[in-house]
Structure formats: C-alpha cells, structure tokens
Amino acid sequence: MNAHATVPFVDLSIQWNQIRADVMPDVERLFEANAFCLGPWATEFEKSIADYLGARHAVAVSSGSAALHLAVIAAGIRRGDKVLVPAHTFIGTVWGLLYEGAIPIFCDVEAATGTIDLADAERRLDDSVKAIIPVHLYGQPADMTATMAFARRHNLTVIEDVAQAIGARHGGRSLGTIGDLGCFSFYPGKNLGGAGEGGLIVTNDDEHAKALRALRDHGQSQRYLHERIGYNYRMDGLQALVLGHKLGHLDAWTDQRRAIAARYKDTLAATPLLLPEIVHGDHVYHLYVVRTERRDALKAYLDGHGIQTGLHYPIPLHRQPCLLEIAAGQSNFPVAEEFASQGLSLPMFAGMRVDQQQRVIDAVLAFFDGE
Ligand SMILES: *Cc1c(COP(=O)(O)O)cnc(C)c1O
C-alpha cells in the first residue's frame, strides 16, 4: 500500500476490468449491425431491466434529466401547474418541470433521511398542485407508503426520481415501480452507469409507456408520422450494451457498497458525525453522506491527507440563481440548509479496498481526536 496515493472518491476502472472481456466482442457485433440508436441492444436492455425492477414497461432514454422531462409530459403536467419537490436535491430533478413551464414548490426534507418531508409538503398544498416528485436521495428510499397515501388523498401524480437509488426497495417493491412513473439515470458515476449518458423511465401504465416511446423518438408512433411534438432522447445502442452487461453485476456491487457502509458505521459511530440512518427501506449507498457542523474543516483536513470527498449538494434549489425568481415567496427550509452546509460525502464505490477505506477512517478519527 502506498500511504501517499490519493484515495479517490469514485474509481470506475474496477467495474471496467470486470466487464471488458464480455463487452469488447459485443461492441464489435454492435458496430457490424450499425445498431447505434436504440436498436436490438436497447430492446434487450429494456426487457432485462424491466424484469430486474419488476416493472411492466421500461423506456430507455438519453439521460436521467430526459427521463424526468418526458415523465412530466406523460403525466400531463402543464404550464402553471405546481409540483411538490424537495428543496435538497440535484437540479436535474426539476429541469423537466421548468422546460414545461410548471412551477416547482420546494419542500423541506426529513432530518433523518434528507428525503421530502410530507408534513411540510402538506402545508404548501393548494389546488394548483398536480404532482409530487419524491427523490430517493443518496440511494435511500423516501417514505413511499406515506407518499402514495398523501398523493391519493390529494389526487396527485407521483414521479419518483430514482437516479441515485437503483435496486433499493421499499415494502418489498423496487423504487421507481411504486409511483406512477419512475426515472433513472445511468450517468457513469451512478450505481449503474454507462460509458456516457443514459436514462430510463419505468411505468406500469400502458398509455404512459406508449406516449414515452413516441416522445423520445421525435414524437413518431410510426416512421415519419409525427403525432405530437417530440424529442431526440433515444438511448445509444452502445450505452444499452454496456448497461446490459453491467446489470448482471449490480447486486454484487450493491452488496459491496453495503459492506463499506457497515464498516463506516461501526468505526465512526463514536465520533460526533451524524451518520446515515436506515428509515424507509433498504439503502443502496450511492453516496455515503455524513454530517457535521465542522464540515468545511473536515473536508480540508481530508483533502490534505489525499482523500477525495464530495458535496451533495452545497446550494439548495431555492437558492440557485436560475430558480430565485420561482423561489421568491417560498421560504423556510431549515433542514435542507443543514444538509447543504453540513453534509460531506466520503469515498464510496464498488470495489473500494479495505486499505483505502481504512485511510479514510483513520483520517476522520484523527481529525476528531484534535489531529
Ligand atoms: C443524476 C441525477 C439526475 C439527472 O440525471 P442525468 O443522467 O445526469 O441527467 C436527476 N436527479 C438526481 C437526484 C440525480 O442524482
């Protein structure tokens, strides 16, 4: 072990080494078949991931943001409609709403999980609210039982943002299949990541699926017949190929993430850090986020010891420059502010070595011991 080597935040080369022998000959086949945009690899991937998640339909698209955009359109959300979203998430959660002229209504998040706080959401309800987007942040479920009951009570569509939580379950069901529509991202650093951009929408509704397939492909239901305004949001064949091979490893990789999380939990329990809590189902640890008022000092200390960390996310949505106008008049997100100012993501990736993790643990313990 080299004590001076950097401990990376994420290392994707480990996954690549596990799949390359299967992927490379398949890439040759794809080139020979000219199957670059959707095509047989995408159809196959849609089948296997629908099966993996237990969804009736899976529609492969070009990114998680594209998935969320099309879900908003398929849900019939229009200009001026309001949609409840957590204030603490990645901005990709709300782009689709903004593209359609809908209005995100920011809600505070639960202190234990960082997912949408339904009591706060209820206070912000009015007759213009048409939908809710729970985000399964960091890989941990939002309270989907309560979200579905809340949504049925107020006649809201539920779009799950599962970009960080593929394979996590709530009440025995895969996240993404509980709401009306579930949106996934295959950005390379996500738990299931492509060799570039990718996304997916799952739904059990036949009409939604039909609309989504047309919308992603220039609005055509048959070739050169454009029934509605569409998009070029198709998944690349190459991404489907890579993702198809990776899907077979996902459960093993998730188990590795959970083992790393268990080790962080055991070794850091005695520090002043707030550690992730398991509340609404099982966590797939896309990110391992700890919280402390000394976040900036801890981050600087770890940087100085060659340990990469991340901030997810340092500025909540209601304070983003591009959202200030929409957020004017919306206020009071104390827990979201706390996550933004106190959260620190420690290195977490499938294949992280014990000696790498030990360096992180030793450095965190040394920081709190007063160096
Ligand atoms: C990654 C992510 C998205 C967007 O996905 P892209 O594939 O990057 O467009 C949306 N929401 C959340 C919570 C994400 O983490």
Side-chain angles (χ1 to χ4, degrees):
M1 181 187 96
N2 179 353
H4 301 290
T6 299
V7 179
F9 184 63
V10 182
D11 182 353
L12 297 178
S13 65
I14 300 158
Q15 295 185 357
W16 171 236
N17 286 329
Q18 282 181 262
I19 62 166
R20 70 193 305 165
D22 292 330
V23 164
M24 291 317 285
D26 211 15
V27 169
E28 302 224 4
R29 285 191 283 274
L30 181 142
F31 271 78
E32 277 155 20
N34 290 304
F36 299 119
C37 303
L38 293 174
W41 275 267
T43 305
E44 191 56 39
F45 174 63
E46 286 179 337
K47 278 196 200 122
S48 41
I49 196 147
D51 191 50
Y52 175 83
L53 295 169
R56 196 169 153 84
H57 303 284
V59 180
V61 295
S62 52
S63 72
S65 301
L68 283 150
H69 184 196
L70 295 191
V72 165
I73 298 173
I77 294 164
R78 295 203 174 81
R79 182 161 299 276
D81 288 345
K82 295 179 180 169
V83 178
L84 301 164
V85 301
H88 179 62
T89 179
F90 178 61
I91 191 137
T93 301
V94 298
W95 284 139
L97 297 174
L98 302 170
Y99 299 160
E100 295 306 310
I103 303 164
I105 300 298
F106 301 114
C107 303
D108 208 4
V109 295
E110 298 179 353
T113 64
T115 60
I116 193 163
D117 177 343
L118 292 172
D120 190 63
E122 183 132 35
R123 286 192 283 277
R124 297 174 195 269
L125 262 181
D126 67 34
D127 288 345
S128 311
V129 173
K130 295 289 168 10
I132 180 168
I133 307 183
V135 180
H136 305 300
L137 197 71
Y138 306 150
Q140 145 145 272
D143 186 350
M144 285 308 294
T145 300
T147 299
M148 294 314 289
F150 173 82
R152 295 308 167 232
R153 220 162 42 239
H154 301 290
N155 200 22
L156 308 179
T157 301
V158 179
I159 300 173
E160 294 178 69
D161 182 341
V162 207
Q164 302 188 356
I166 191 162
R169 295 165 85 84
H170 171 92
R173 292 161 76 188
S174 292
L175 298 183
T177 67
I178 303 169
D180 299 285
L181 296 138
C183 298
F184 295 82
S185 165
F186 304 122
Y187 179 77
K190 298 284 160 80
N191 286 25
L192 180 64
E197 310 283 349
L200 185 84
I201 310 133
V202 297
T203 181
N204 293 324
D205 182 305
D206 297 350
E207 287 307 308
H208 282 341
K210 201 170 151 218
L212 292 165
R213 288 185 191 286
L215 283 164
R216 74 171 167 183
D217 191 17
H218 298 290
Q220 51 192 350
S221 51
Q222 62 188 68
R223 195 143 202 202
Y224 302 134
L225 177 67
H226 308 278
E227 288 179 10
R228 60 193 298 178
I229 293 174
Y231 299 84
N232 179 357
Y233 280 172
R234 296 175 299 224
M235 177 179 277
D236 290 345
L238 202 56
Q239 300 309 332
L241 182 157
V242 170
L243 292 165
H245 285 287
K246 282 193 171 185
L247 183 58
H249 296 271
L250 181 61
D251 284 343
W253 291 340
T254 298
D255 286 345
Q256 291 170 19
R257 289 176 180 276
R258 288 184 173 141
I260 293 161
R263 204 143 169 274
Y264 274 140
K265 184 177 162 145
D266 287 346
T267 51
L268 302 180
T271 67
L273 291 175
L274 274 179
L275 303 179
E277 281 182 57
I278 306 300
V279 183
H280 306 304
D282 52 7
H283 201 317
V284 294
Y285 296 102
H286 173 56
L287 296 166
Y288 193 89
V289 178
V290 300
R291 280 175 285 160
T292 168
E293 285 174 11
R294 299 174 67 199
R295 190 271 307 277
D296 293 341
L298 175 58
K299 182 169 179 36
Y301 182 85
L302 294 176
D303 278 350
H305 288 73
I307 294 161
Q308 294 180 351
T309 56
L311 301 181
H312 300 93
Y313 296 88
I315 306 174
L317 295 192
H318 60 276
R319 287 200 284 109
Q320 291 294 346
C322 68
L323 292 170
L324 283 182
E325 209 172 312
I326 278 172
Q330 301 189 36
S331 61
N332 259 1
F333 308 97
V335 184
E337 294 290 354
E338 221 167 87
F339 270 90
S341 63
Q342 300 186 3
L344 183 68
S345 307
L346 299 181
M348 162 63 78
F349 51 92
M352 186 181 184
R353 298 191 316 266
V354 169
D355 65 277
Q356 288 175 313
Q357 191 181 9
Q358 194 60 48
R359 282 212 22 226
V360 181
I361 292 163
D362 289 345
V364 173
L365 294 176
F367 173 81
F368 282 109
D369 277 350
E371 286 124 87

